Amino acid sequence: METKDLIQHTTPFYCYDLKLLNETLEEAKKHAKKYEYHIHYALKANTHNRILNSIQEIGFGADCVSGNEVKKALEIGFPTSKIAFAGVGKTDEEILIGLENEIFAFNCESIEEIEVINQLAKEQNKTARIALRLNPNVDAYTHKYITTGLEENKFGINSWELENLIELLPSWANIELTGLHFHIGSQITSMTPFKNLCIRVNELNKWFSERNIRIQHLNLGGGLGIDYNEPEKNPIPDFELFFGVFNQFLEPFSHQEIHFELGRSLVGNCGSLISKVLYIKKGIKTNFAILDAGMTELLRPAIYQAYHYIENITTASDNKEFYDVVGPICESSDCFGKKMELKETKRGDYVKIHSTGAYGEVMSSKYNLREQNPVVFLD
Ligand SMILES: Cc1ncc(COP(=O)(O)O)c(C=O)c1O
């Protein structure tokens, strides 16, 4: 779609490039297939039906973190045998949705949670397949709010709890332990944390094997980052390198399936947030470009100081200026970036905030009774 067509829509709005989405999915599939790796898509990144349809059609499974995400995955047509349900705080009602539908696995994060699942499964006369989310204590070297694999984080079962856990295992008659699950964080662009993860997974995998516990699948989570700085130059992440690291360093037993839960790397770069400039306000050190989109549409900069490349898509000027690009919400954190270099910008110009396909629209809120405008899909 050309800019002139794009700017017919009421701003702010999200726009998704389905061609890029499908190219990204094909690329991920191609490189995972080489090693017979299974991909589950982390629905939390983006739950639009059209996006989910493409992902389901290509054959990926679904990684869900709420009962409603499990329901959504079922509605879209993901087979129950490909639905995993993760999350540190599943409610009884949510667990029952998973049990009713006999999903692939509950990724469990504490002994207490397993006890509740066992009890609920017993009441339903079912057996729940579970994977243990283990805390590998591996640093992802990403933003602290998206680091999840350290002992100080709330996620996963720590290694000192494992002896106790396996002693309890025979008493859980309605639980079948099928997998080990790991997820160290998100937006990881160096391969070193993934290599370190493999080394730790190998140790833990052997630990279970030495105790004659047969683990059918290893789930290495997600976390592969995208290029937020130059999304046009690198729209598709390097899946070849990513899966290659696991092929090189992971030592699974021959019967074990290897699973991944990718979110951002599959959908991050196919989305953009289009917004109109309301005012240019002179500040002391810099000018503010005040947009009609704010943290209510895109929260990532406010909560993770996340960088998104911002481009003025309508100006005729070639002069570059620096702006603090901000939203209209009464919060100082409602800022998309300080000292952002844009082509000279004036009221009425349209800007494109790139790489907002993951953790963008799904985190939007109604704060200030904000309108939610229709989404545009580019086929
Ligand atoms: C358990 C789990 N799996 C997978 C993902 C997806 O991660 P990403 O979008 O970085 O691939 C997340 C995201 O935080 C997660 O918490």
Side-chain angles (χ1 to χ4, degrees):
M1 194 182 287
E2 297 196 11
T3 302
K4 70 173 172 24
D5 300 316
L6 208 54
I7 65 176
Q8 300 306 315
H9 302 274
T10 308
T11 53
F13 66 90
Y14 273 91
C15 170
Y16 296 105
D17 179 346
L18 295 179
K19 185 167 170 283
L20 176 58
L21 170 70
N22 287 323
E23 285 167 5
T24 308
L25 298 177
E26 288 294 348
E27 188 72 8
K29 183 177 174 174
K30 181 172 94 185
H31 294 293
K33 207 171 155 198
K34 279 197 268 187
Y35 314 115
E36 294 182 40
Y37 290 165
H38 300 253
I39 300 178
H40 286 232
Y41 166 63
L43 262 79
K44 57 161 70 152
N46 191 310
T47 43
H48 264 297
N49 284 2
R50 292 192 65 182
I51 290 179
L52 293 177
N53 283 335
S54 294
I55 294 172
Q56 187 270 329
E57 277 161 23
I58 202 161
F60 296 171
D63 165 49
C64 305
V65 289
S66 70
N68 282 346
E69 283 191 5
V70 173
K71 285 189 193 163
K72 182 74 166 180
L74 291 166
E75 179 193 310
I76 295 292
F78 286 93
T80 52
S81 61
K82 286 188 180 179
I83 297 179
F85 184 9
V88 69
K90 303 174 189 77
T91 64
D92 293 15
E93 292 73 20
E94 290 178 314
I95 293 168
L96 286 171
I97 294 168
L99 285 173
E100 232 168 73
N101 291 289
E102 302 184 355
I103 58 170
F104 170 70
F106 291 89
N107 294 340
C108 296
E109 307 229 4
S110 65
I111 291 179
E112 203 172 12
E113 180 194 339
I114 302 172
E115 280 169 347
V116 171
I117 296 178
N118 182 55
Q119 182 57 34
L120 292 172
K122 189 174 164 193
E123 288 163 18
Q124 302 297 313
N125 206 16
K126 302 250 184 194
T127 298
R129 281 176 292 274
I130 68 160
L132 302 176
R133 176 168 182 180
L134 301 182
N135 188 331
N137 201 21
V138 168
D139 202 332
Y141 297 106
T142 183
H143 190 279
K144 65 176 178 178
Y145 288 172
I146 47 176
T147 291
T148 55
L150 290 176
E151 281 168 2
E152 69 201 54
N153 302 128
K154 68 180 173 185
F155 302 102
I157 297 167
N158 290 311
S159 46
W160 63 83
E161 296 171 286
L162 289 181
E163 290 283 0
N164 182 21
L165 191 150
I166 60 163
E167 270 176 35
L168 289 167
L169 204 53
S171 68
W172 295 323
N174 295 69
I175 292 289
E176 184 191 357
L177 173 60
T178 59
L180 301 182
H181 171 230
F182 305 85
H183 175 74
I184 55 172
S186 199
Q187 184 52 20
I188 302 169
T189 48
S190 152
M191 292 301 118
T192 308
F194 295 122
K195 176 185 163 190
N196 295 341
L197 172 63
C198 291
I199 294 166
R200 188 72 186 115
V201 173
N202 294 340
E203 289 167 6
L204 288 161
N205 197 20
K206 283 200 190 88
W207 189 91
F208 279 88
S209 159
E210 281 159 11
R211 283 152 186 81
N212 292 322
I213 299 171
R214 189 181 160 87
I215 298 295
Q216 290 163 24
H217 76 273
L218 299 175
N219 178 343
L220 284 307
L224 176 62
I226 59 172
D227 191 341
Y228 281 102
N229 295 309
E230 295 185 291
E232 285 172 319
K233 192 169 151 204
N234 298 309
I236 300 181
D238 195 340
F239 293 108
E240 182 171 17
L241 180 67
F242 175 70
F243 291 123
V245 167
F246 289 91
N247 178 53
Q248 191 180 349
F249 296 105
L250 194 68
E251 294 165 359
F253 297 111
S254 58
H255 68 276
Q256 289 181 321
E257 281 186 3
I258 309 300
H259 292 227
F260 291 88
E261 305 168 337
L262 301 178
R264 187 189 314 270
S265 54
L266 298 179
V267 298
N269 269 337
C270 79
S272 310
L273 175 61
I274 310 293
S275 177
K276 200 151 62 172
V277 178
L278 296 175
Y279 305 104
I280 300 295
K281 180 174 166 177
K282 293 239 176 282
I284 299 173
K285 291 191 183 144
T286 174
N287 290 334
F288 293 98
I290 303 174
L291 308 186
D292 62 3
M295 63 194 287
T296 38
E297 284 68 45
L298 179 64
L299 192 56
R300 299 188 66 256
I303 56 171
Y304 314 128
Q305 296 80 47
Y307 172 83
H308 287 265
Y309 168 53
I310 302 178
E311 184 189 10
N312 184 326
I313 55 172
T314 49
T315 184
S317 169
D318 277 330
N319 297 336
K320 298 274 181 77
E321 299 272 351
F322 288 98
Y323 300 90
D324 282 8
V325 181
V326 300
I329 310 298
C330 300
E331 304 283 342
S332 294
S333 57
D334 184 30
C335 175
F336 293 118
K338 290 188 180 297
K339 290 218 176 81
M340 307 283 274
E341 195 178 35
L342 294 181
K343 285 183 182 168
E344 195 177 357
T345 295
K346 58 180 188 330
R347 173 177 162 81
D349 286 350
Y350 285 71
V351 298
K352 178 173 179 177
I353 307 179
H354 287 255
S355 315
T356 56
Y359 310 108
E361 199 188 349
V362 279
M363 285 192 179
S364 61
S365 78
K366 294 198 183 91
Y367 184 42
N368 292 188
L369 288 181
R370 298 272 292 168
E371 291 287 346
Q372 281 199 322
N373 293 319
V375 164
V376 175
F377 288 95
L378 311 182
D379 286 297

